[in-house]
């Protein structure tokens, strides 16, 4: 028997759980191999050390000491989701920028209103032109694509409302 075959079996040899022919082969090998005999002696020492260990008991005030340590720790903080605050900050900054621009331009409120209405009307005409061009390019499938667009827009709005509700609920808890 070789050392490479004997070494993995030394624990089971020591315990006596191997089949008799294998036990005899290892015994014969141990008589002629000082290396494997030294390994078996180490197994014997380790087994003796493991037999002498005893279970350790915690200190009598262990639970009290741990609980006192826990009580002295700061309370965990709630996680705040910054999304509602960021949206509010964005809106506030947008309004502040619009007011600063309005004041800096020196235009009258009526002129600013008229300019805004003209810009909205111009955007409407641009959108109408774009839609007409798209309808011409897409032909008979325009209605189906418009329906798909409306469904996607409705889903986007539903998801946005759901996220806003979730963020509001999380910020309250």
């Amino acid at each position: 028997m070789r050392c490479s075959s004997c070494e993995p079996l030394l624990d089971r040899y020591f315990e006596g759980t191997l089949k008799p022919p294998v036990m005899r082969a290892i015994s014969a090998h141990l008589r002629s191999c000082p290396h494997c005999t030294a390994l078996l002696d180490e197994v014997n020492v380790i087994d003796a050390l493991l037999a002498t260990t005893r279970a350790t008991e915690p200190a009598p005030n262990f639970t009290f000491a741990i609980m006192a340590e826990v009580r002295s720790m700061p309370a965990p903080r709630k996680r705040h989701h910054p999304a509602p605050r960021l949206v509010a900050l964005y809106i506030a900054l947008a309004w502040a920028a619009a007011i600063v621009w309005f004041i800096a331009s020196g235009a009258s409120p009526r002129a600013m209103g008229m300019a805004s209405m003209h810009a909205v009307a111009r955007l409407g005409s641009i959108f109408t032109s774009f839609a007409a061009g798209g309808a011409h390019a897409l032909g008979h499938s325009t209605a189906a694509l418009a329906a798909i667009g409306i469904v996607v827009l409705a889903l986007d709005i539903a998801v946005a409302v759901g996220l806003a509700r979730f963020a509001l609920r999380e910020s309250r808890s």
Side-chain angles (χ1 to χ4, degrees), residues 95-108 112:
W95 276 104
I99 291 169
V100 167
W101 178 69
F102 177 72
I103 292 170
S105 69
S108 69
M112 291 300 290

Side-chain angles (χ1 to χ4, degrees), residues 12 30 33 61 76 78 91 95 116 120 136 163 166 168:
R12 291 177 50 203
L30 288 172
C33 179
N61 66 344
K78 294 180 189 174
I91 292 171
W95 276 104
S116 298
V120 169
H136 179 67
L163 287 174
F166 175 76
L168 185 62

Side-chain angles (χ1 to χ4, degrees), residues 81-85 161-173:
H81 296 282
R85 290 185 180 150
V161 167
L163 287 174
R165 286 181 142 181
F166 175 76
L168 185 62
R169 188 177 339 124
E170 288 294 317
S171 67
R172 287 183 184 168
S173 61

Side-chain angles (χ1 to χ4, degrees), residues 38-173:
L39 286 177
L40 183 64
D41 290 341
E42 286 180 28
V43 169
N44 191 12
V45 169
I46 290 171
D47 186 62
L49 288 173
L50 289 174
T52 61
T53 60
R54 57 185 165 93
T56 58
E57 290 292 321
N61 66 344
F62 177 76
T63 303
F64 178 77
I66 293 296
M67 293 309 294
E69 182 72 25
V70 167
R71 280 187 216 102
S72 70
M73 295 172 67
R77 295 184 332 176
K78 294 180 189 174
R79 287 189 62 204
H80 295 286
H81 296 282
R85 290 185 180 150
L86 289 175
V87 169
L89 178 64
Y90 169 75
I91 292 171
L93 289 175
W95 276 104
I99 291 169
V100 167
W101 178 69
F102 177 72
I103 292 170
S105 69
S108 69
R110 180 179 169 95
M112 291 300 290
M114 293 301 287
S116 298
M117 289 178 66
H118 178 68
V120 169
R122 181 75 180 125
L123 282 174
S125 77
I126 290 171
F127 179 74
T128 304
S129 299
F130 179 73
H136 179 67
L138 297 172
H140 65 279
S141 61
T142 304
L145 288 174
I148 290 171
I150 290 170
V151 169
V152 168
L153 181 61
L155 287 173
D156 286 346
I157 290 171
V159 168
V161 167
L163 287 174
R165 286 181 142 181
F166 175 76
L168 185 62
R169 188 177 339 124
E170 288 294 317
S171 67
R172 287 183 184 168
S173 61

